Amino acid sequence: MAVTPTVAPGAPGIPARWTSSAKSGVGTALSPACPIWFTISHGILNEIYYPSLDSACTRDMGLVVTGPGGYFSEEKRDAEHSVQPFEDGVPAHRLVNTAADGTYRIEKRIITDPERPVLLQEISFTLLRGTVADHRVYALLAPHLVNAGMGNTAWVDDYEGKPVLFASGRGVCLALASSLPWGACSAGYVGASDGWQQLHYNGRLDPACRRAENSNVALTGEIGFSAANPKALLALGFGTTPKEAAENASASLKRGFEPAAKSYVQKWRKWQAGLLPLDRRTAPGLNTYRVSTAVLATHRSSGKSGAAVASLSIPWGFSMGDDDLGGYHLVWPRDLVETAGGFLAAGDPAVALEILAYLRSIQQPDGHWPQNAWLDGTAYWPGIQMDECAFPLLLADALRRAGHLPRDELLAFMPMIERGASYVVRNGPVTGEDRWEEDAGYSPFTLAVEIAALLAAADMFDVCGKAEPANYLRETADAWNDQIERWTYVTGTSLCEEVGVKGYYVRIAPPDTAGAASPKDGYVPIKNRPPGDSDRPAEAIVSPDALALVRFGLRAADDPRIVDTVKVIDARLRCDLPQGPVWYRYTGDGYGEHADGAPFDGTGQGRPWPLLVGERAHYELAAGRKDNAAALLKTFERSAGPGGLLPEQVWDGPDMPERELWHGRPSGSAMPLVWAHSEHVKLLRSLSDGAVFDMPPQGVKRYIEGRTLSPRRTWRFNNKIRTMPAGKMLRIELLTRAVIHWSSDGWAIAHDADTTENAFGIHLADLPVADVPPGNTIVFTFFWSDAGRWENVDFSIGIDKLD
């Protein structure tokens, strides 16, 4: 007699994929005893993260209903879904999934157990037609342990005499237990022998499929619903061993749902009660402020104090596989500082201080911060974005100015601030990548952050009695601020004529090259467009990024150059949607779905970003148009998806139900985007205060009110200026000691100037060229003192008319 096999057929299954990034809910317990974070979409659980919020451990977990005549219904595809929080500001969720054909209704309440690593689903099954005895309900769970769908093992086994569904991979185990006895159970390979395949094609589970190894696997179990028992509690426990995971699940089942829910809600209620009352409700009754604050707090780490990820999602996850390890569940220093700003605006400076301390812990030895990183600080992408290297300095100063970082505590952060300021002054103003992670060059947004950060750092140096380096930071900020227009402002273009303006700020200007008369004359590659269709003239690309010059206090909102740029932005990037105007990132953006709605795959077509509505509202407030800002707040909030979550992008095309894309609603990009929720909180605070909450005051005082100009221009190897105005001093900045050999009359008379080293390791010398008349040229070269050799290249700077 043949032995019945216990290993399912069909290994390794189809290629693993993640799931929809359009979440309708996220949640976690505010308890270190439960390091679990969960997401909801389409009426079911999606990614569940354990033991840290950068470690996704499931693809999804939903229900299938079968019945007479081959009836087969999957709740995520074949039902209408609604989601509501338990109460304002508590990310515990009530889901109602009603079959589109009217056969059943499934109601769920979802939380995590604050006492242990277990996710709890209380499920009620109501048959709306037919008899319960003729229908069966199955739970389907797709493990993707520790950020991978492949390499998982799933099996069915007993624990304490009852069936439990198990999975393991990469040192993590899970166990799914039920308060009602499991009926038939199976473990199989996705797309080949998993429970969905068995039920869809055979109407039953194969009892021989008890194990699936080292592949893309799924677990399925029949929940023992009956007319007498229409409610079940499912407990998904985690641990380092199968036994530990099962013990955790069993303990939560024994405790029950209500005690866990009471503790879960109380912890959230207590935290929300300590925040400022900026509450605001939208038409469906959602308290949008409390949704945003809950999103911010849900994305915090319980194991790494101060760490928070950009989003518990993977953009277009249903099309992404194991090679997209990070998704957005990574730390971006920029997003993290924005998150800290949201906490600060909401009245929780303690969390903002924790974030600052975490940023200190992941700062690199040379002073920069990684483009993005895992929670332990390990860099994920290798790029360097200068705004991310400057933002932590602004956070430190914001906390100091608000009285949350007194001098004694500031001193503990000064090594971080000194390294960060040093990196910015040594490597700016050019950035390796702009804030959209793409192009190198002179970005108005990055320049605004850099300059504001240098001024903020200077104030902190002064507080600590370091006047000389503070003075140098301000001198550098002044020199960079003076040249923003030279680097990024254009006049007399065809776009100027078309819109009827004198000029505008470009999105980004490429780094200086020897063959260009100005950076604006170059071309900018758009990284997300097809090969051969990427390069655009810098002057042809505009972006709302220029509004950062106002947001960070460097230019007045009514500066004619800003006003003209806003006209160009609206002419090129404004998209009027049912909820109101929403803006694109920049001209020609390719980061979004294709025209036919297919997911972004490296190329596509950029869609409008609700985040930019918040930024525009802040500009309107800075311009004194509070009513406009309040109207844009409504647009911002109406861009949210189910549950009030704000997406990265919204769909601007016609409805495509087959791709779940509807005009003006969230697209397949990340949702929620924590950065957007932070901007929402800050906008509520700004409207309450009647002023932009996070505008640094130093630039306003120095450049808008004081009209400070720099007496010098600076030349360095990463910013080789080719012209300078008459009447200015020339500062040469180098990274090693040198003698500068120079002339202003074609070497008829030569001069030598020794460099001196400042507090930031920069070797500099100021050349007295203010009296050199326009039309002349400064020529110079270097003798490298330590190496004992000449540069053997002459550099030149032409003297223009006074600015």
Side-chain angles (χ1 to χ4, degrees):
M1 181 176 178
V3 177
T4 303
T6 59
V7 176
I14 62 175
R17 290 289 181 268
W18 293 101
T19 189
S20 173
S21 56
K23 311 303 182 187
S24 55
V26 295
T28 189
L30 292 178
S31 169
C34 182
I36 293 178
W37 296 258
F38 66 88
T39 66
I40 295 168
S41 173
H42 297 78
I44 69 170
L45 286 159
N46 290 155
E47 292 98 348
I48 301 167
Y49 297 79
Y50 168 87
S52 59
L53 78 169
D54 58 357
S55 297
C57 287
T58 66
R59 180 186 189 274
D60 60 16
M61 180 181 174
L63 304 180
V64 166
V65 179
T66 64
Y71 182 80
F72 178 95
S73 179
E74 188 177 9
E75 62 173 342
K76 73 176 179 181
R77 290 189 175 94
D78 303 322
E80 296 175 354
H81 315 114
S82 70
V83 57
Q84 288 185 322
F86 279 21
E87 62 182 67
D88 288 348
V90 178
H93 306 280
R94 290 188 179 92
L95 309 181
V96 179
N97 300 330
T98 304
D101 62 11
T103 298
Y104 61 85
R105 182 174 62 249
I106 295 169
E107 298 171 76
K108 304 177 184 178
R109 292 196 295 167
I110 301 177
I111 60 168
T112 56
D113 186 343
E115 292 192 358
R116 57 188 60 86
V118 178
L119 184 142
L120 294 172
Q121 284 191 90
E122 181 191 72
I123 303 174
S124 298
F125 177 72
T126 303
L127 200 64
L128 302 178
R129 64 184 186 192
T131 60
V132 173
D134 293 334
H135 291 77
R136 288 175 170 76
V137 182
Y138 299 87
L140 274 67
L141 171 62
H144 274 219
L145 289 161
V146 194
N147 293 328
M150 303 304 291
N152 293 278
T153 294
W155 69 97
V156 182
D157 204 349
D158 285 356
Y159 177 77
E160 295 183 341
K162 297 178 181 179
V164 174
L165 309 181
F166 290 94
S168 66
R170 284 159 288 278
V172 171
C173 298
L174 62 77
L176 180 61
S178 173
S179 63
L180 296 178
W182 289 117
C185 298
S186 82
Y189 299 100
V190 174
S193 56
D194 64 274
W196 191 97
Q197 300 290 328
Q198 296 174 29
L199 294 171
H200 188 263
Y201 294 108
N202 302 320
R204 64 181 184 85
L205 294 180
D206 183 350
C209 293
R210 305 283 290 182
R211 186 177 182 87
E213 298 179 338
N214 195 32
S215 298
N216 184 13
V217 300
L219 288 157
T220 309
E222 180 188 348
I223 305 172
F225 288 121
S226 66
N229 292 296
K231 184 180 291 186
L233 179 60
L234 300 188
L236 181 62
F238 289 87
T240 56
T241 65
K243 183 175 184 292
E244 182 184 8
E247 285 176 347
N248 287 328
S250 177
S252 288
L253 284 182
K254 291 173 182 175
R255 184 186 187 209
F257 187 86
E258 293 302 338
K262 182 179 179 181
S263 174
Y264 185 102
V265 170
Q266 284 178 341
K267 291 177 186 296
W268 276 99
R269 189 184 291 158
K270 179 180 179 181
W271 179 73
Q272 291 279 8
L275 302 181
L276 295 174
L278 303 174
D279 303 64
R280 172 179 163 78
R281 293 190 181 276
T282 53
L286 282 173
N287 186 320
T288 59
Y289 170 58
R290 300 296 173 173
V291 170
S292 285
T293 53
V295 167
L296 263 61
T298 298
H299 286 74
R300 291 179 60 204
S301 169
S302 61
K304 280 280 186 183
S305 176
V309 298
S311 177
L312 289 171
S313 68
I314 298 172
W316 299 282
F318 60 90
S319 67
M320 303 293 180
D322 285 359
D323 55 343
D324 194 341
L325 294 177
Y328 277 11
H329 48 276
L330 294 159
V331 176
W332 267 265
R334 171 184 45 256
D335 294 54
L336 187 54
V337 171
E338 299 285 10
T339 298
F343 281 111
L344 197 56
D348 193 343
V351 174
L353 281 165
E354 290 176 7
I355 288 173
L356 185 66
Y358 172 76
L359 285 164
R360 177 176 58 187
S361 75
I362 67 168
Q363 186 183 30
Q364 303 301 294
D366 66 356
H368 86 277
W369 276 271
Q371 179 180 2
N372 53 22
W374 300 103
L375 293 182
D376 65 3
T378 303
Y380 182 59
W381 287 343
I384 293 180
Q385 299 171 10
M386 291 301 294
D387 67 312
E388 291 195 307
C389 300
F391 261 123
L393 306 178
L394 288 173
L395 174 59
D397 190 58
L399 286 163
R400 178 191 67 84
R401 288 185 285 102
H404 306 304
L405 200 61
R407 185 179 183 279
D408 288 348
E409 295 179 26
L410 176 63
L411 287 171
F413 283 97
M414 281 309 293
M416 178 198 85
I417 293 164
E418 290 171 0
R419 287 195 300 271
S422 176
Y423 190 86
V424 173
V425 296
R426 287 165 64 92
N427 294 279
V430 175
T431 184
E433 290 181 349
D434 65 345
R435 71 164 172 167
W436 303 123
E437 331 250 20
E438 294 175 0
D439 289 323
Y442 299 91
S443 155
F445 183 93
T446 302
L447 287 166
V449 178
E450 287 176 312
I451 293 166
L454 292 183
L455 296 178
D459 281 3
M460 291 184 281
F461 274 86
D462 274 342
V463 168
C464 297
K466 299 184 177 184
E468 185 177 345
N471 183 56
Y472 173 74
L473 292 179
R474 293 191 183 100
E475 289 176 347
T476 301
D478 293 348
W480 292 358
N481 181 68
D482 273 5
Q483 297 179 86
I484 289 174
E485 281 69 35
R486 186 183 83 81
W487 291 327
T488 67
Y489 190 78
V490 294
T491 57
T493 70
S494 59
L495 185 53
C496 289
E497 183 177 352
E498 180 183 334
V499 180
V501 298
K502 291 182 178 179
Y504 53 88
Y505 294 94
V506 298
R507 172 206 168 194
I508 193 167
D512 283 332
T513 57
S518 161
K520 299 188 293 286
D521 292 340
Y523 283 77
V524 172
I526 300 178
K527 299 296 179 63
N528 44 45
R529 298 189 67 85
D533 186 35
S534 60
D535 284 0
R536 297 285 190 280
E539 68 177 34
I541 308 175
V542 292
S543 171
D545 286 7
L547 299 184
L549 297 171
V550 176
R551 182 72 171 266
F552 292 94
L554 307 188
R555 299 292 181 270
D558 60 356
D559 186 310
R561 296 166 299 194
I562 294 290
V563 173
D564 278 356
T565 301
V566 168
K567 293 177 182 177
V568 174
I569 289 169
D570 285 349
R572 279 290 184 265
L573 301 174
R574 173 173 166 150
C575 179
D576 291 317
L577 294 170
Q579 63 266 43
V582 188
W583 283 264
Y584 299 98
R585 295 194 303 174
Y586 57 81
T587 314
D589 184 13
Y591 181 57
E593 285 90 351
H594 290 266
D596 64 358
F600 175 75
D601 56 3
T603 64
Q605 183 176 328
R607 308 295 168 178
W609 284 56
L611 165 71
L612 300 177
V613 178
E615 293 187 351
R616 177 57 172 268
H618 272 107
Y619 167 73
E620 294 294 325
L621 187 60
R625 297 185 287 267
K626 188 173 181 180
D627 288 348
N628 288 5
L632 287 169
L633 170 64
K634 295 179 181 178
T635 298
F636 198 1
E637 293 174 341
R638 287 194 291 257
S639 297
L645 303 186
L646 291 167
E648 182 180 61
Q649 302 176 41
V650 289
W651 179 244
D652 56 350
D655 290 353
M656 293 186 180
E658 70 280 7
R659 292 195 182 272
E660 299 186 348
L661 295 170
W662 286 272
H663 191 63
R665 308 314 303 154
S667 73
S669 58
M671 186 167 73
L673 184 66
V674 180
W675 184 2
H677 282 280
S678 177
E679 181 72 2
H680 176 242
V681 172
K682 287 191 281 188
L683 180 56
L684 289 170
R685 175 66 183 271
S686 296
L687 286 166
S688 175
D689 293 350
V692 177
F693 169 73
D694 59 355
M695 183 183 291
Q698 293 93 343
V700 176
K701 182 177 180 180
R702 195 169 184 87
Y703 303 130
I704 298 175
E705 297 173 359
R707 300 182 180 274
T708 300
L709 297 175
S710 174
R712 63 180 55 81
R713 286 291 181 265
T714 300
W715 185 100
R716 49 172 58 180
F717 274 95
N718 70 335
N719 182 32
K720 301 173 185 174
I721 62 170
R722 292 182 298 281
T723 62
M724 60 180 287
K728 300 281 187 183
M729 183 188 309
L730 174 61
R731 172 167 286 178
I732 305 292
E733 297 187 337
L734 307 169
L735 297 182
T736 189
R737 191 162 62 100
V739 175
I740 302 168
H741 188 62
W742 66 279
S743 174
S744 61
D745 56 9
W747 297 116
I749 300 176
H751 311 271
D752 288 328
D754 292 316
T755 60
T756 58
E757 185 177 7
N758 68 8
F760 301 103
I762 294 175
H763 299 258
L764 58 87
D766 288 329
L767 307 187
V769 300
D771 294 335
V772 177
N776 284 33
T777 299
I778 309 298
V779 184
F780 55 95
T781 188
F782 309 108
F783 179 78
W784 301 109
S785 306
D786 294 336
R789 65 174 180 82
W790 286 93
E791 176 68 14
N792 290 326
V793 175
D794 285 351
F795 302 93
S796 62
I797 300 174
I799 303 298
D800 290 338
K801 294 180 181 178
L802 189 65
D803 279 353

